[in-house]
Amino acid sequence: MTPAVLTLSDVGYRWPRRGSFALTVPDFAILEGESVLLLGESGAGKSTLLSLICGTILPDRGSISIAGTELTALSGGKRDRFRAEQIGVIFQQFNLLPFGTVADNILLPLRFAPQRRKRAGNAVAQATDLCAALGLPPDVGRNKANALSVGQQQRVAVARALIGQPPLIIADEPTSALDAGSQAAFLDLLFAQTDAHQTSLLMVSHDARLGDRFDRVIRMEDIAQIERAAA
């Protein structure tokens, strides 16, 4: 039986000073090597769910486990280190260091994650290999991030998330600014890399047309209940 990389059980969270919004997730899991597309409109709780999974906020109750480690049992500092070790994140706006080189940006997560750095082996060589696999020019590592095209910045963000083979990749609306052809090309590259390392992928989007590319498609309302105060 394929093990789960991520499990949430009886998770509940209410935003402080925003008592009108609460999120409950009774049961949700992602298996090793599985790709999951999570669909939801704005305000459906996607950002709150991602924050809980990444450990930047803690639930009021329930269990969140990643790669066999219970996040709720870790202190704030240990959660930060665990996140750096075990989760690669592709942000909607990429969040690259604009004046850092491509190599600096890709290698950045390894500075905070010694075990991930160990998994990378020769980190510079792995960064170079990832750039090549993602279709970036051979000498791109020396370029400043702010000198790249949007498509190239996106690929650098993917390489940064993948380096050191974290077991879980979270992609937050990474294709929202792309046309259909660019979306398909981006997903081809992303899936080629996650498949090669049996990496689990949770991608958040509002675009149901992407669903055919994923092992499983779920909607926020399928896994979570949202509570809002009446206007």
Side-chain angles (χ1 to χ4, degrees):
M1 183 176 179
T2 305
V5 166
L6 168 69
T7 60
L8 284 77
S9 179
D10 191 31
V11 168
Y13 180 78
R14 184 179 296 274
W15 278 102
R17 298 179 297 280
R18 285 172 55 190
S20 61
F21 181 91
L23 175 73
T24 302
V25 182
D27 184 46
F28 176 55
I30 296 178
L31 303 180
E32 180 181 305
E34 185 181 26
S35 61
V36 176
L37 179 64
L38 177 63
L39 299 172
E41 300 302 324
S42 297
K46 301 187 303 295
S47 295
T48 299
L49 178 62
L50 294 188
S51 295
L52 287 165
I53 292 171
C54 289
T56 54
I57 59 175
L58 281 178
D60 300 321
R61 68 171 193 275
S63 168
I64 302 174
S65 175
I66 296 176
T69 294
E70 177 58 47
L71 283 186
T72 61
L74 301 179
S75 66
K78 287 184 178 179
R79 285 199 310 277
D80 291 342
R81 290 191 291 274
F82 181 83
R83 179 170 55 252
E85 294 279 12
Q86 303 295 332
I87 303 175
V89 181
I90 304 170
F91 299 95
Q92 184 175 3
Q93 302 300 326
F94 313 144
N95 287 10
L96 300 180
L97 301 174
F99 299 108
T101 66
V102 167
D104 291 337
N105 274 280
I106 294 174
L107 297 172
L108 181 63
L110 306 185
R111 296 179 58 184
F112 311 101
Q115 292 304 312
R116 187 170 170 182
R117 185 165 61 245
K118 184 177 180 180
R119 292 196 301 268
N122 185 330
V124 173
Q126 186 177 96
T128 301
D129 290 345
L130 282 168
C131 286
L134 291 165
L136 288 163
D139 60 349
V140 73
R142 298 192 296 271
N143 293 352
K144 295 293 179 65
N146 63 355
L148 304 179
S149 69
V150 171
Q152 289 175 325
Q153 289 182 34
Q154 185 181 54
R155 296 179 188 198
V156 171
V158 172
R160 181 182 60 189
L162 290 167
I163 195 163
Q165 301 170 15
L168 176 63
I169 300 293
I170 292 176
D172 185 9
E173 300 268 13
T175 63
S176 60
L178 302 180
D179 59 37
S182 298
Q183 284 181 346
F186 169 77
L187 290 174
D188 286 343
L189 294 167
L190 179 59
F191 281 126
Q193 292 302 308
T194 54
D195 290 348
H197 300 291
Q198 274 293 288
T199 304
S200 301
L201 171 65
L202 174 61
M203 182 166 145
V204 172
S205 181
H206 62 275
D207 189 352
R209 295 172 298 177
L210 304 177
D212 290 344
R213 303 294 302 269
F214 290 78
D215 295 327
R216 185 158 51 110
V217 179
I218 57 176
R219 295 184 177 274
M220 276 297 294
E221 58 264 32
D222 296 333
I223 65 166
Q225 290 94 50
I226 300 296
E227 176 188 332
R228 295 186 181 90

